[in-house]
Amino acid sequence: MYRSCNALSSKYMTTFSDFPPPKEYTPFMSQKTIIEYLTNYAETFDLKKYITFNTNVITIEKNEEEEGKDRYWKVILEKEDCPKVDEYFDYVMVCIGMFNKPKTPEYPGLDSFDGIKIHGNQYRDATPFINKRVIVVGGAFTAGDISCDISRVSDEVYLSMRHGTYVIPRVVNGHPYDLQILKRSTFRKTVSKFEAFAEYFYKNRIPDYKEIGLQNTQPFIGNCSVMVNDDIQDHIYQGRLEPVNNIQEFKGNDVVLTDGTVLKDIDAVIFATGYQYGIPIVDKSLIYGNADYAQLYKYVFPVTSMNPDRIAMIGIMEYLSTTWPAWEMQARWACKVFTGKIPLPTKEDMIKDIEKNPKYIGTAAQYVVALPYLDDIAEFIGVKPNFWKLLISDPKLAYAFEYGPMFPYFYRLQGPNAWSGARDAIMNAKDNLTYGTRRYRANIKTEKMSEDY
């Protein structure tokens, strides 16, 4: 994680459902506070004793040596003191997500470039790029962050994009953007109304993208590039950063763009070009079977396995919202399945459900809309609140549930592992959101002005 990294979503949406961040944290957590939050979570719930650090998982495979026994999975590990070791487990959650194998595009002549070449996941800070001429390739979150960070110290920074991008600022009209978008009322809009609603956010600071060279050639709802960024417009206006077309080829340290422009004497290229989707530590057949799209029930349980209730894939999806609540909900469900408290449907029913979903050929990644998915899993677990019951018992909470932000704490109000602090976390979130930025209090004297003024 690079040092200048800040969360893309506000603190009460980037959280686990039973552990809100301290109110002293600023609305968008920094790299430092995210690490602090995760450390505090692990210490509060005494999780460190269950974690084996400095260990690399090579592969997970069915335990053929103990067929029929409880230790169903063999996990092959590399540890510091032992190059290779086999360990056996009853159940496995694969939680490495999708972003584990960097994707770097191929360009003619790239081998002739002898400057710095790195992927965005290797970037830590701007120090190596002081007084350098740098080209950043990409049009999404990381490309925007890195290009703005480097532009403060470099000689020149170019942002190379194929299709342009859409920019959503973290704060829109004084409030975090996600608290305005991620509501139940938003997800009930028709497609045309949602497009108009989204336009309000991505045109909030940049009414005309052509003026700063970021115009997107693709519709917002579709396969387009989007970044959450507060600085890019200012850096372009100040001449620190220049958007340019896609790269056509490299000629030594000169970069030729698709419009014929030649960028001379480039010192470094950073590929913020995403990742190849895949789960390298399990056999491909476990995810796909004989199909060319992932065979995962609700994007979690592989129906190709003889025992799909013994392994769960956590975070193997592109979640169109903040991701932590979805990962946690999947993990909660998997725990209930592993312990036999919630049975999975029959394999035939699970396959029917998979067939109803969109097919993403050749990739394990699935694109999932936030609210319906969370509610779906919450209903399995028994933690989805009922609006009408809330309306009778607690009208203020019911209103917050229906018209307020989708805080993960709603899924701790009832059912298994309910949390007594959930209601307070929901109702106090608005006041606590900016507590960490309200510490300064000027000693302003309010003297009555003279009538002659």
Side-chain angles (χ1 to χ4, degrees), residues 406-424:
M406 291 166 42
F407 295 124
Y409 320 119
F410 281 110
Y411 298 109
R412 290 286 181 174
L413 288 170
Q414 63 179 51
N417 307 110
W419 173 47
S420 60
R423 186 188 187 280
D424 286 345

Side-chain angles (χ1 to χ4, degrees), residues 28-211:
F28 289 88
M29 291 191 284
S30 66
Q31 179 218 41
K32 178 182 176 181
T33 50
I34 289 172
I35 294 172
E36 184 179 278
Y37 172 79
L38 292 173
T39 302
N40 291 341
Y41 183 87
E43 290 175 350
T44 299
F45 294 100
D46 197 21
L47 299 180
K48 286 188 176 181
K49 64 185 180 184
Y50 301 109
I51 301 172
T52 304
F53 293 98
N54 302 313
T55 301
N56 182 40
V57 177
I58 301 173
T59 188
I60 300 169
E61 57 191 45
K62 186 180 175 184
N63 177 19
E64 303 289 356
E65 299 167 14
E66 299 185 19
E67 188 71 34
K69 297 185 178 180
D70 286 341
R71 299 293 187 263
Y72 191 83
W73 298 105
K74 179 168 76 171
V75 181
I76 303 174
L77 307 169
E78 280 182 336
K79 297 186 176 182
E80 281 186 321
D81 55 349
C82 184
K84 191 175 179 181
V85 61
D86 297 346
E87 294 191 8
Y88 299 89
F89 297 90
D90 305 322
Y91 305 93
V92 171
M93 285 192 205
V94 180
C95 305
I96 64 173
M98 301 173 299
F99 304 131
N100 48 66
K101 189 175 181 181
K103 180 172 63 178
T104 302
E106 296 181 2
Y107 296 105
L110 181 57
D111 290 342
S112 68
F113 179 79
D114 63 4
I116 300 171
K117 288 183 287 190
I118 64 169
H119 188 271
N121 77 331
Q122 298 170 279
Y123 178 79
R124 294 298 176 265
D125 61 40
T127 304
F129 307 98
I130 294 173
N131 299 326
K132 295 285 197 297
R133 289 170 53 79
V134 183
I135 184 165
V136 178
V137 183
F141 305 108
T142 304
D145 279 355
I146 292 177
S147 59
C148 287
D149 195 32
I150 289 175
S151 70
R152 293 179 171 90
V153 299
S154 64
D155 186 36
E156 297 277 356
V157 176
Y158 302 97
L159 178 62
S160 172
M161 300 170 289
R162 287 185 298 171
H163 304 294
T165 190
Y166 293 101
V167 181
I168 297 177
R170 286 179 173 82
V171 178
V172 175
N173 291 339
H175 303 284
Y177 77 96
D178 56 346
L179 301 188
Q180 301 175 64
I181 294 176
L182 301 178
K183 299 180 178 182
R184 291 176 178 272
S185 54
T186 303
F187 287 93
R188 293 197 178 95
K189 295 180 184 291
T190 62
V191 173
S192 59
K193 287 185 177 179
F194 184 81
E195 285 178 336
F197 183 68
E199 185 176 344
Y200 166 75
F201 288 89
Y202 69 73
K203 286 191 174 181
N204 182 264
R205 288 199 64 199
I206 309 175
D208 187 352
Y209 278 68
K210 291 181 180 179
E211 287 188 353

Side-chain angles (χ1 to χ4, degrees), residues 334-390:
C335 288
K336 298 298 181 186
V337 171
F338 288 174
T339 54
K341 295 178 180 178
I342 300 176
L344 290 177
T346 64
K347 187 167 290 191
E348 291 75 17
D349 287 342
M350 289 192 287
I351 291 172
K352 286 179 183 177
D353 185 85
I354 292 170
E355 293 302 315
K356 291 189 302 184
N357 298 322
K359 310 298 186 295
Y360 297 95
I361 306 301
T363 172
Q366 311 290 302
Y367 292 85
V368 181
V369 179
L371 181 61
Y373 183 76
L374 270 177
D375 278 356
D376 202 15
I377 306 302
E379 204 151 14
F380 287 139
I381 302 173
V383 297
K384 179 187 174 184
N386 183 292
F387 169 75
W388 298 107
K389 289 183 179 179
L390 282 179

